[in-house]
Amino acid sequence: MSDKLKYTEAGKFEETRFEKIHNVVFENSDVASIEVAKEIAELIRSKQAANEHCVLGLATGSSPIKVYEELVRMHEEEGLSFKNVISFNLDEYYPMTKENTQSYWYFMHEHLFNHVDILPENINIPSGEVKQDEIHQFCIDYELKIKEAGGLDFQLLGIGRTGHIGFNEPGSHYNSGTRNITLDHITRVDAGPAFLGIDHVPRVAITMGIGTIRKAKRIVLLAWGVNKASVIRETIEGEITAEVPATYLQRHDNVTFVLDEGASTELTRERTPWLVKNCIWTDDLTLKAVVWLSQKLEKSILKLTDKDYNFHGMSNLLVEQGSAYQLNINMFNRLQHTITGWPGGKPNADDTNRPERNTPARKRVIIFSPHPDDDVISMGGTFDRLVEQGHEVHVAYQTSGNIAVSDEEALKFAEVALELNGSDTNSKKIVADLDAKQEYEIDTKEVRNLKGLIRRKESVAATRYVGIPDSQVHFLDLPFYETGRVKKNKLSEQDVTIMKDIISEIKPHQIYAAGDLADPHGTHKVCLDSLFLALEDLKKESYMDDCWVWLYRGAWHEWDIHDIEMAVPMSPDQVLKKKQAIFYHQSQKDGVMFQGDDSREFWVRAEDRNKETAKKYNSLGLADYAAFEAFKRYHY
Ligand code: F6R
């Protein structure tokens, strides 16, 4: 076992006393995956040395991708052989052909089997192709085959937001074996983007059972990103329950959960460390604790008492600070100073306690928007203020967003173009391409181009409405995005160069970007990485000395109150204006392709979220605003 995945030494027990499953938190999913790959490679090699087979239980999904990538690298560069490996995959959709790019058969070959020397006869994946009346026997045989191979030496798992492992959805029994199962709605929602819409996601799957999985000699479960944080907390700290099938793993004596920082954020020791140990009270931790206490007791900050602190694990903080009175005032002021109606700085005003500098009075600003609409959805009010207050605001749309336009929408535009000009061969081809398109098929270049154009024109309509000239609107079309599929390419030098070029051309004083960390493989995160890499390269340039970077959160989440460093209030009128700007993105209204599990339209989500932030500030005892947009500064 890799040293880093070993059980923690005694002495840390205090910190983990709420936890019922051993877990290790890494700084990010890449380094974590490399450790897991090391453990698997060690096992394969030790079995080789003993002349034995190594029986691996394997998972699919986004979580294990980097582990497989590292195993492939070890095979290619370090001679790791898979000749003694027998593999059993957890699950497969049903019905599902092997050739379908969404099948787990396809996934495993694409990510692992095609690149290593595993013997094809040693690969076992539940079949999505067996006849309905043969499934029962197929499942019995699958179980038998695992047994005959000597049982699973190692089982790799991911976890669904329902708490499923394999496809053992809520309700699964502790002793369940391999069987067919109906997928939970949330699981289908999460698979929706890969299938280009939930309607195409199969309703049934074949999965190894809980009983099958828990017989594995060693189990490692991977979870990345804040999206998984709450199910990870329930699984590690909650009671064993069929509602969250992963909790059954609490009964296994050789299991490790490997997490990144995002997935660990809801664990008690991370979320409220003062409840489990003596803390070193930095300013940030103090604010986090005070906000938490105020919210928990439903009391404004200035009303918190010595007793409140003492009863909630913060007695040493109180000793350090002298009294609740002083501590409350300090934290209240800190929050108060995040609020500003001048996101570009207030000219000629003392800026000691303001989030932004007052000079230069007129700033050059770049708003990076991962998709063509995140700018107005996430910071439409701030965008409007920056323009109104005279700054030179540029918007740079990082990707074309073309896969989020439906075929029906594209057909509408192609038909209009054809009516206007009957001899337009391009539109004719687009109409014919859409007509002939099969399910799961990638759009032709021409169709993708039209879909991208639709989003461009919607964006320009919105930016004109906010009031910037078209010359300040930039479409970067980063190449990593242009696969025509949900699965994107890796970020390349070319993407980073495009980002660097626009920054060096504009020489901004302020950059705004989507700081979404929820989905480590999602487009927003890749777009953020492209910015971070560009900044790393550019920071030696003198014009960057004066450039501040502010991160907003995308359509799905908001910063926690203690993270916010600039809160821009919006008047009721501005809330309406922002809504109008979002409306210009018509192809993303009413039943969009990538809805997620939130049925509200984007403008409703944005409005609710901005109102919610204002409400939270107010209940902490600060002024009562209609809505807030929130930002956190990034230091590079
Ligand atoms: C995949 C599987 C599932 C996934 C889980 C998490 O074989 O059985 O349990 O591990 O749905 O999926 P990702 O990793 O995509 O978040």
Side-chain angles (χ1 to χ4, degrees):
M1 188 189 303
S2 143
D3 280 352
K4 297 206 175 120
L5 300 190
K6 280 198 179 126
Y7 284 80
T8 34
E9 308 291 314
K12 290 187 89 185
F13 179 70
E14 197 194 19
E15 274 185 51
T16 54
R17 73 191 144 102
F18 288 91
E19 300 175 8
K20 299 164 187 165
I21 294 180
H22 173 241
N23 62 87
V24 190
V25 182
F26 288 87
E27 146 199 14
N28 63 52
S29 58
D30 284 355
V31 277
S33 300
I34 290 171
E35 288 309 316
V36 176
K38 263 190 211 156
E39 175 171 339
I40 298 174
E42 240 173 63
L43 180 68
I44 296 176
R45 286 196 176 109
S46 69
K47 291 278 183 182
Q48 258 154 21
N51 227 349
E52 288 173 9
H53 278 121
C54 178
V55 186
L56 298 180
L58 298 177
T60 53
S62 61
S63 308
I65 290 177
K66 180 74 190 178
V67 174
Y68 296 145
E69 202 179 298
E70 177 63 8
L71 287 172
V72 170
R73 190 199 64 74
M74 286 170 156
H75 170 72
E76 286 169 355
E77 295 174 17
E78 295 168 10
L80 174 67
S81 170
F82 286 71
K83 285 235 162 80
N84 67 326
V85 170
I86 301 179
S87 73
F88 288 90
N89 260 82
L90 282 165
D91 40 21
E92 178 61 281
Y93 291 110
Y94 185 86
M96 180 60 72
T97 60
K98 287 178 180 165
E99 298 74 37
N100 190 320
T101 53
Q102 296 313 322
S103 75
Y104 284 168
W105 193 95
Y106 189 94
F107 176 101
M108 286 309 300
H109 286 78
E110 189 183 17
H111 289 282
L112 184 66
F113 298 148
N114 287 347
H115 314 286
V116 296
D117 59 347
I118 188 168
L119 302 172
E121 61 271 28
N122 286 348
I123 297 173
N124 300 282
I125 304 176
S127 169
E129 294 180 340
V130 283
K131 292 203 195 89
Q132 183 83 34
D133 57 0
E134 289 167 3
I135 296 178
H136 183 66
Q137 191 56 45
F138 178 87
C139 293
I140 294 175
D141 293 345
Y142 203 72
E143 290 278 332
L144 268 177
K145 219 168 170 190
I146 297 175
K147 212 166 163 191
E148 276 162 15
L152 301 164
D153 292 310
F154 180 100
Q155 177 65 57
L156 188 63
L157 294 176
I159 183 168
R161 285 193 304 135
T162 57
H164 72 214
I165 46 177
F167 273 140
N168 292 283
E169 297 288 15
S172 294
H173 195 272
Y174 182 63
N175 287 328
S176 52
T178 302
R179 67 199 187 288
N180 51 357
I181 188 161
T182 300
L183 296 175
D184 191 280
H185 177 68
I186 295 181
T187 299
R188 294 186 63 240
V189 164
D190 285 351
F195 283 88
L196 296 180
I198 186 170
D199 294 343
H200 305 131
V201 182
R203 291 182 180 274
V204 172
I206 298 181
T207 182
M208 270 190 206
I210 299 286
T212 332
I213 294 170
R214 68 183 173 78
K215 281 193 209 103
K217 296 172 192 97
R218 163 83 173 140
I219 296 178
V220 170
L221 182 145
L222 317 172
W224 319 135
V226 294
N227 267 344
K228 298 281 171 77
S230 67
V231 75
I232 283 297
R233 175 189 165 98
E234 279 178 80
T235 305
I236 293 181
E237 299 188 5
E239 297 301 318
I240 295 176
T241 164
E243 297 284 325
V244 184
T247 55
Y248 290 132
L249 297 174
Q250 291 180 14
R251 295 217 185 117
H252 197 280
D253 59 10
N254 191 9
V255 58
T256 298
F257 279 21
V258 177
L259 313 174
D260 68 354
E261 283 177 1
S264 73
T265 45
E266 291 288 319
L267 293 177
T268 303
R269 81 181 133 115
E270 299 292 337
R271 199 172 60 138
T272 49
W274 49 90
L275 295 180
V276 293
K277 61 174 179 183
N278 273 333
C279 295
I280 297 169
W281 289 102
T282 59
D283 279 358
D284 289 349
L285 189 66
T286 307
L287 181 64
K288 183 175 176 182
V290 173
V291 168
W292 172 83
L293 187 61
S294 164
Q295 288 174 334
K296 184 173 172 64
L297 301 180
E298 295 178 14
K299 267 181 171 185
S300 66
I301 291 178
L302 294 173
K303 286 186 183 157
L304 295 172
T305 64
D306 288 358
K307 194 171 161 196
D308 294 332
Y309 285 102
N310 281 335
F311 269 73
H312 292 89
M314 291 179 231
S315 52
N316 63 341
L317 174 64
L318 206 54
V319 173
E320 266 179 41
Q321 299 270 335
S323 70
Y325 179 75
Q326 198 50 48
L327 173 56
N328 292 348
I329 289 184
N330 290 346
M331 291 305 116
F332 180 87
N333 284 341
R334 198 175 140 173
L335 280 174
Q336 178 69 40
H337 295 155
T338 61
I339 302 175
T340 181
W342 297 82
K346 187 170 184 182
N348 307 317
D350 177 9
D351 59 9
T352 327
N353 286 320
R354 290 177 177 276
E356 252 296 351
R357 309 143 291 172
N358 56 16
T359 53
R362 183 169 190 265
K363 294 188 170 63
R364 284 186 300 278
V365 178
I366 305 181
I367 298 174
F368 282 110
S369 177
H371 300 98
D373 67 358
D374 293 305
D375 53 339
V376 282
I377 290 175
S378 298
M379 54 171 292
T382 307
F383 184 177
D384 184 50
R385 274 198 192 237
L386 288 164
V387 175
E388 198 182 274
Q389 291 168 357
H391 301 287
E392 180 186 317
V393 183
H394 294 254
V395 183
Y397 296 105
Q398 291 171 281
T399 70
S400 69
N402 55 13
I403 62 163
V405 176
S406 69
D407 292 345
E408 295 74 24
E409 188 77 2
L411 187 63
K412 177 173 81 186
F413 282 95
E415 284 179 345
V416 169
L418 209 53
E419 287 261 347
L420 285 174
N421 177 1
S423 59
D424 174 3
T425 49
N426 192 33
S427 306
K428 256 188 209 151
K429 179 168 187 316
I430 291 172
V431 172
D433 287 350
L434 286 168
D435 200 39
K437 186 176 166 185
Q438 301 290 315
E439 217 178 351
Y440 308 127
E441 216 182 347
I442 295 177
D443 282 325
T444 58
K445 210 169 92 244
E446 292 78 4
V447 174
R448 271 186 272 159
N449 191 30
L450 170 62
K451 290 184 172 180
L453 257 178
I454 292 172
R455 298 210 68 180
R456 276 189 181 213
K457 296 302 167 197
E458 289 172 348
S459 303
V460 171
T463 49
R464 281 181 193 159
Y465 175 71
V466 180
I468 60 169
D470 294 358
S471 57
Q472 285 166 214
V473 183
H474 311 265
F475 295 97
L476 306 185
D477 289 344
L478 293 183
F480 86 85
Y481 183 90
E482 297 303 317
T483 58
R485 296 200 283 161
V486 171
K487 187 165 181 279
K488 305 297 187 298
N489 292 325
K490 286 223 167 92
L491 200 60
S492 73
E493 199 50 49
Q494 214 186 340
D495 298 297
V496 181
T497 306
I498 295 173
M499 291 290 289
K500 283 192 326 200
D501 286 350
I502 181 104
I503 296 172
S504 57
E505 184 194 321
I506 294 168
K507 300 188 176 44
H509 303 100
Q510 271 196 331
I511 287 176
Y512 289 86
D516 280 281
L517 309 165
D519 169 10
H521 303 282
T523 297
H524 281 218
K525 176 66 168 60
V526 182
C527 285
L528 187 62
D529 286 344
S530 73
L531 173 67
F532 287 170
L533 290 169
L535 292 174
E536 203 43 45
D537 270 9
L538 291 176
K539 68 181 178 196
K540 49 189 181 306
E541 305 294 336
S542 59
Y543 60 83
M544 291 305 285
D545 293 347
D546 201 23
C547 176
W548 287 20
V549 177
W550 292 99
L551 300 180
Y552 61 84
R553 281 248 161 128
W556 317 95
H557 290 277
E558 185 52 279
W559 295 112
D560 285 330
I561 297 291
H562 62 267
D563 280 327
I564 297 173
E565 290 175 271
M566 177 159 74
V568 181
M570 289 188 287
S571 65
D573 275 354
Q574 259 174 330
V575 172
L576 282 176
K577 192 164 177 197
K578 170 171 174 167
K579 177 160 84 180
Q580 187 57 44
I582 299 174
F583 280 174
Y584 282 101
H585 295 276
Q586 280 171 343
S587 68
Q588 303 306 300
K589 259 186 69 54
D590 300 324
V592 295
M593 293 181 68
F594 301 116
Q595 182 83 43
D597 58 352
D598 187 337
S599 58
R600 296 170 302 166
E601 281 196 37
F602 286 122
W603 70 268
V604 186
R605 291 184 211 186
E607 218 171 90
D608 288 354
R609 174 175 123 183
N610 297 156
K611 280 185 188 157
E612 184 61 27
T613 310
K615 217 162 91 195
K616 283 186 184 160
Y617 263 73
N618 186 228
S619 46
L620 293 169
L622 292 121
D624 189 9
Y625 286 96
F628 271 129
E629 286 175 345
F631 304 87
K632 182 176 166 61
R633 197 168 155 203
Y634 172 72
H635 298 268
Y636 54 95

mmCIF file of all heavy atoms in Angstrom, residues 58-64 89-91 104 157-161 164-168 187 207 222 224 228, ligand 1:
data_model
loop_
_atom_site.group_PDB
_atom_site.id
_atom_site.type_symbol
_atom_site.label_atom_id
_atom_site.label_comp_id
_atom_site.label_asym_id
_atom_site.label_seq_id
_atom_site.Cartn_x
_atom_site.Cartn_y
_atom_site.Cartn_z
ATOM 1 N N LEU A 58 -13.054 -2.925 -11.001
ATOM 2 C CA LEU A 58 -12.813 -1.589 -11.573
ATOM 3 C C LEU A 58 -14.101 -0.783 -11.732
ATOM 4 O O LEU A 58 -15.187 -1.345 -11.915
ATOM 5 C CB LEU A 58 -12.104 -1.728 -12.921
ATOM 6 C CG LEU A 58 -10.726 -2.400 -12.844
ATOM 7 C CD1 LEU A 58 -10.132 -2.563 -14.237
ATOM 8 C CD2 LEU A 58 -9.765 -1.632 -11.938
ATOM 9 N N ALA A 59 -13.916 0.526 -11.688
ATOM 10 C CA ALA A 59 -15.064 1.441 -11.784
ATOM 11 C C ALA A 59 -14.918 2.319 -13.014
ATOM 12 O O ALA A 59 -13.826 2.473 -13.563
ATOM 13 C CB ALA A 59 -15.104 2.324 -10.536
ATOM 14 N N THR A 60 -16.026 2.919 -13.414
ATOM 15 C CA THR A 60 -15.993 3.886 -14.520
ATOM 16 C C THR A 60 -16.407 5.254 -13.967
ATOM 17 O O THR A 60 -16.401 5.451 -12.764
ATOM 18 C CB THR A 60 -16.948 3.446 -15.646
ATOM 19 O OG1 THR A 60 -18.225 3.237 -15.039
ATOM 20 C CG2 THR A 60 -16.474 2.185 -16.309
ATOM 21 N N GLY A 61 -16.765 6.184 -14.839
ATOM 22 C CA GLY A 61 -17.162 7.517 -14.380
ATOM 23 C C GLY A 61 -15.986 8.463 -14.428
ATOM 24 O O GLY A 61 -14.875 8.092 -14.839
ATOM 25 N N SER A 62 -16.206 9.695 -13.966
ATOM 26 C CA SER A 62 -15.144 10.691 -14.067
ATOM 27 C C SER A 62 -14.053 10.475 -13.008
ATOM 28 O O SER A 62 -12.898 10.822 -13.225
ATOM 29 C CB SER A 62 -15.729 12.106 -13.943
ATOM 30 O OG SER A 62 -16.349 12.243 -12.680
ATOM 31 N N SER A 63 -14.408 9.877 -11.881
ATOM 32 C CA SER A 63 -13.444 9.804 -10.775
ATOM 33 C C SER A 63 -12.175 9.005 -11.072
ATOM 34 O O SER A 63 -11.085 9.459 -10.719
ATOM 35 C CB SER A 63 -14.117 9.264 -9.512
ATOM 36 O OG SER A 63 -15.283 9.990 -9.242
ATOM 37 N N PRO A 64 -12.273 7.816 -11.691
ATOM 38 C CA PRO A 64 -11.029 7.032 -11.832
ATOM 39 C C PRO A 64 -10.180 7.354 -13.063
ATOM 40 O O PRO A 64 -9.149 6.715 -13.272
ATOM 41 C CB PRO A 64 -11.544 5.589 -11.905
ATOM 42 C CG PRO A 64 -12.913 5.684 -12.460
ATOM 43 C CD PRO A 64 -13.447 7.035 -12.114
ATOM 44 N N ASN A 89 -15.515 -5.433 -13.924
ATOM 45 C CA ASN A 89 -16.093 -4.091 -13.761
ATOM 46 C C ASN A 89 -17.358 -4.142 -12.932
ATOM 47 O O ASN A 89 -18.050 -5.155 -12.871
ATOM 48 C CB ASN A 89 -16.361 -3.454 -15.124
ATOM 49 C CG ASN A 89 -15.265 -2.495 -15.459
ATOM 50 O OD1 ASN A 89 -14.215 -2.911 -15.943
ATOM 51 N ND2 ASN A 89 -15.456 -1.228 -15.141
ATOM 52 N N LEU A 90 -17.626 -3.007 -12.304
ATOM 53 C CA LEU A 90 -18.773 -2.927 -11.409
ATOM 54 C C LEU A 90 -20.107 -3.028 -12.124
ATOM 55 O O LEU A 90 -21.039 -3.638 -11.635
ATOM 56 C CB LEU A 90 -18.760 -1.564 -10.704
ATOM 57 C CG LEU A 90 -17.806 -1.365 -9.554
ATOM 58 C CD1 LEU A 90 -17.695 0.124 -9.249
ATOM 59 C CD2 LEU A 90 -18.330 -2.095 -8.327
ATOM 60 N N ASP A 91 -20.205 -2.347 -13.274
ATOM 61 C CA ASP A 91 -21.557 -2.187 -13.812
ATOM 62 C C ASP A 91 -21.584 -1.826 -15.287
ATOM 63 O O ASP A 91 -20.535 -1.545 -15.897
ATOM 64 C CB ASP A 91 -22.318 -1.115 -13.006
ATOM 65 C CG ASP A 91 -21.428 0.071 -12.654
ATOM 66 O OD1 ASP A 91 -20.403 0.268 -13.337
ATOM 67 O OD2 ASP A 91 -21.737 0.791 -11.700
ATOM 68 N N TYR A 104 -20.005 1.422 -20.714
ATOM 69 C CA TYR A 104 -18.848 1.288 -19.833
ATOM 70 C C TYR A 104 -17.800 0.378 -20.481
ATOM 71 O O TYR A 104 -16.621 0.461 -20.174
ATOM 72 C CB TYR A 104 -19.283 0.775 -18.455
ATOM 73 C CG TYR A 104 -19.955 1.871 -17.630
ATOM 74 C CD1 TYR A 104 -20.648 1.573 -16.455
ATOM 75 C CD2 TYR A 104 -19.885 3.210 -18.021
ATOM 76 C CE1 TYR A 104 -21.242 2.574 -15.703
ATOM 77 C CE2 TYR A 104 -20.486 4.215 -17.270
ATOM 78 C CZ TYR A 104 -21.168 3.897 -16.111
ATOM 79 O OH TYR A 104 -21.750 4.880 -15.362
ATOM 80 N N LEU A 157 -13.628 2.186 -6.301
ATOM 81 C CA LEU A 157 -15.006 2.690 -6.351
ATOM 82 C C LEU A 157 -15.042 4.195 -6.554
ATOM 83 O O LEU A 157 -14.125 4.908 -6.147
ATOM 84 C CB LEU A 157 -15.720 2.418 -5.014
ATOM 85 C CG LEU A 157 -15.992 0.986 -4.580
ATOM 86 C CD1 LEU A 157 -16.626 0.999 -3.186
ATOM 87 C CD2 LEU A 157 -16.924 0.291 -5.564
ATOM 88 N N GLY A 158 -16.131 4.664 -7.162
ATOM 89 C CA GLY A 158 -16.505 6.072 -7.096
ATOM 90 C C GLY A 158 -17.752 6.112 -6.232
ATOM 91 O O GLY A 158 -18.211 5.083 -5.722
ATOM 92 N N ILE A 159 -18.327 7.270 -6.063
ATOM 93 C CA ILE A 159 -19.575 7.353 -5.289
ATOM 94 C C ILE A 159 -20.516 8.324 -5.995
ATOM 95 O O ILE A 159 -20.091 9.381 -6.465
ATOM 96 C CB ILE A 159 -19.295 7.790 -3.823
ATOM 97 C CG1 ILE A 159 -20.585 7.815 -3.001
ATOM 98 C CG2 ILE A 159 -18.597 9.144 -3.763
ATOM 99 C CD1 ILE A 159 -20.348 7.949 -1.485
ATOM 100 N N GLY A 160 -21.772 7.929 -6.102
ATOM 101 C CA GLY A 160 -22.749 8.829 -6.728
ATOM 102 C C GLY A 160 -23.316 9.789 -5.690
ATOM 103 O O GLY A 160 -23.193 9.541 -4.478
ATOM 104 N N ARG A 161 -23.960 10.841 -6.141
ATOM 105 C CA ARG A 161 -24.533 11.779 -5.168
ATOM 106 C C ARG A 161 -25.676 11.156 -4.376
ATOM 107 O O ARG A 161 -26.089 11.674 -3.348
ATOM 108 C CB ARG A 161 -24.980 13.060 -5.868
ATOM 109 C CG ARG A 161 -23.774 13.936 -6.243
ATOM 110 C CD ARG A 161 -24.197 15.313 -6.637
ATOM 111 N NE ARG A 161 -25.156 15.271 -7.712
ATOM 112 C CZ ARG A 161 -26.269 15.999 -7.744
ATOM 113 N NH1 ARG A 161 -26.545 16.806 -6.759
ATOM 114 N NH2 ARG A 161 -27.085 15.918 -8.772
ATOM 115 N N HIS A 164 -24.708 5.934 -4.036
ATOM 116 C CA HIS A 164 -24.533 4.606 -4.640
ATOM 117 C C HIS A 164 -23.058 4.272 -4.808
ATOM 118 O O HIS A 164 -22.230 5.152 -5.005
ATOM 119 C CB HIS A 164 -25.292 4.482 -5.976
ATOM 120 C CG HIS A 164 -24.730 5.249 -7.137
ATOM 121 N ND1 HIS A 164 -25.521 5.809 -8.115
ATOM 122 C CD2 HIS A 164 -23.457 5.539 -7.520
ATOM 123 C CE1 HIS A 164 -24.759 6.389 -9.021
ATOM 124 N NE2 HIS A 164 -23.506 6.248 -8.681
ATOM 125 N N ILE A 165 -22.767 2.977 -4.677
ATOM 126 C CA ILE A 165 -21.462 2.460 -5.098
ATOM 127 C C ILE A 165 -21.796 1.389 -6.120
ATOM 128 O O ILE A 165 -22.767 0.650 -5.946
ATOM 129 C CB ILE A 165 -20.625 1.909 -3.921
ATOM 130 C CG1 ILE A 165 -21.453 1.009 -3.011
ATOM 131 C CG2 ILE A 165 -19.989 3.045 -3.140
ATOM 132 C CD1 ILE A 165 -20.658 0.373 -1.871
ATOM 133 N N GLY A 166 -20.998 1.273 -7.196
ATOM 134 C CA GLY A 166 -21.503 0.548 -8.359
ATOM 135 C C GLY A 166 -22.799 1.275 -8.707
ATOM 136 O O GLY A 166 -22.903 2.494 -8.536
ATOM 137 N N PHE A 167 -23.808 0.542 -9.130
ATOM 138 C CA PHE A 167 -25.110 1.198 -9.282
ATOM 139 C C PHE A 167 -26.077 0.711 -8.205
ATOM 140 O O PHE A 167 -27.268 0.559 -8.439
ATOM 141 C CB PHE A 167 -25.671 0.991 -10.688
ATOM 142 C CG PHE A 167 -25.190 2.036 -11.664
ATOM 143 C CD1 PHE A 167 -24.845 1.684 -12.959
ATOM 144 C CD2 PHE A 167 -25.088 3.373 -11.298
ATOM 145 C CE1 PHE A 167 -24.400 2.641 -13.867
ATOM 146 C CE2 PHE A 167 -24.640 4.332 -12.194
ATOM 147 C CZ PHE A 167 -24.297 3.968 -13.482
ATOM 148 N N ASN A 168 -25.553 0.465 -7.001
ATOM 149 C CA ASN A 168 -26.411 0.086 -5.883
ATOM 150 C C ASN A 168 -27.058 1.345 -5.333
ATOM 151 O O ASN A 168 -26.494 2.049 -4.498
ATOM 152 C CB ASN A 168 -25.586 -0.614 -4.800
ATOM 153 C CG ASN A 168 -25.098 -1.958 -5.280
ATOM 154 O OD1 ASN A 168 -25.860 -2.925 -5.325
ATOM 155 N ND2 ASN A 168 -23.835 -2.011 -5.702
ATOM 156 N N THR A 187 -29.096 10.054 -10.259
ATOM 157 C CA THR A 187 -28.032 9.416 -11.044
ATOM 158 C C THR A 187 -28.246 9.700 -12.523
ATOM 159 O O THR A 187 -27.302 9.994 -13.268
ATOM 160 C CB THR A 187 -28.050 7.888 -10.792
ATOM 161 O OG1 THR A 187 -27.822 7.679 -9.413
ATOM 162 C CG2 THR A 187 -27.004 7.174 -11.615
ATOM 163 N N THR A 207 -25.523 -4.271 -12.084
ATOM 164 C CA THR A 207 -24.448 -3.879 -11.157
ATOM 165 C C THR A 207 -24.040 -5.018 -10.234
ATOM 166 O O THR A 207 -24.871 -5.855 -9.873
ATOM 167 C CB THR A 207 -24.883 -2.675 -10.289
ATOM 168 O OG1 THR A 207 -23.795 -2.297 -9.447
ATOM 169 C CG2 THR A 207 -26.096 -2.980 -9.412
ATOM 170 N N LEU A 222 -12.909 6.746 -4.436
ATOM 171 C CA LEU A 222 -12.430 8.072 -4.846
ATOM 172 C C LEU A 222 -13.581 9.069 -4.863
ATOM 173 O O LEU A 222 -14.670 8.745 -5.343
ATOM 174 C CB LEU A 222 -11.853 8.026 -6.262
ATOM 175 C CG LEU A 222 -10.943 6.850 -6.636
ATOM 176 C CD1 LEU A 222 -10.651 6.894 -8.144
ATOM 177 C CD2 LEU A 222 -9.650 6.927 -5.847
ATOM 178 N N TRP A 224 -14.094 13.360 -5.751
ATOM 179 C CA TRP A 224 -13.494 14.665 -6.057
ATOM 180 C C TRP A 224 -14.568 15.752 -6.122
ATOM 181 O O TRP A 224 -15.648 15.552 -6.657
ATOM 182 C CB TRP A 224 -12.791 14.655 -7.416
ATOM 183 C CG TRP A 224 -11.985 13.455 -7.797
ATOM 184 C CD1 TRP A 224 -12.016 12.836 -9.011
ATOM 185 C CD2 TRP A 224 -11.004 12.751 -7.028
ATOM 186 N NE1 TRP A 224 -11.132 11.796 -9.034
ATOM 187 C CE2 TRP A 224 -10.495 11.721 -7.836
ATOM 188 C CE3 TRP A 224 -10.513 12.881 -5.724
ATOM 189 C CZ2 TRP A 224 -9.522 10.830 -7.390
ATOM 190 C CZ3 TRP A 224 -9.544 11.990 -5.286
ATOM 191 C CH2 TRP A 224 -9.056 10.996 -6.115
ATOM 192 N N LYS A 228 -19.496 16.363 -4.209
ATOM 193 C CA LYS A 228 -19.566 15.087 -3.489
ATOM 194 C C LYS A 228 -19.441 15.294 -1.976
ATOM 195 O O LYS A 228 -19.525 14.340 -1.212
ATOM 196 C CB LYS A 228 -18.438 14.154 -3.967
ATOM 197 C CG LYS A 228 -18.492 13.783 -5.442
ATOM 198 C CD LYS A 228 -19.502 12.693 -5.715
ATOM 199 C CE LYS A 228 -19.739 12.450 -7.189
ATOM 200 N NZ LYS A 228 -18.697 11.702 -7.844
HETATM 201 C C1 F6R B 1 -19.182 3.518 -12.128
HETATM 202 C C2 F6R B 1 -20.039 3.397 -10.965
HETATM 203 C C3 F6R B 1 -20.599 4.565 -10.244
HETATM 204 C C4 F6R B 1 -19.699 5.788 -10.235
HETATM 205 C C5 F6R B 1 -20.378 6.951 -9.522
HETATM 206 C C6 F6R B 1 -19.547 8.211 -9.532
HETATM 207 O O1 F6R B 1 -18.712 2.278 -12.552
HETATM 208 O O2 F6R B 1 -20.313 2.319 -10.597
HETATM 209 O O3 F6R B 1 -20.867 4.173 -8.919
HETATM 210 O O4 F6R B 1 -18.494 5.468 -9.608
HETATM 211 O O5 F6R B 1 -21.603 7.225 -10.141
HETATM 212 O O6 F6R B 1 -19.392 8.673 -10.830
HETATM 213 P P1 F6R B 1 -18.372 9.874 -11.164
HETATM 214 O O7 F6R B 1 -17.020 9.350 -10.886
HETATM 215 O O8 F6R B 1 -18.578 10.134 -12.625
HETATM 216 O O9 F6R B 1 -18.753 11.009 -10.293
#
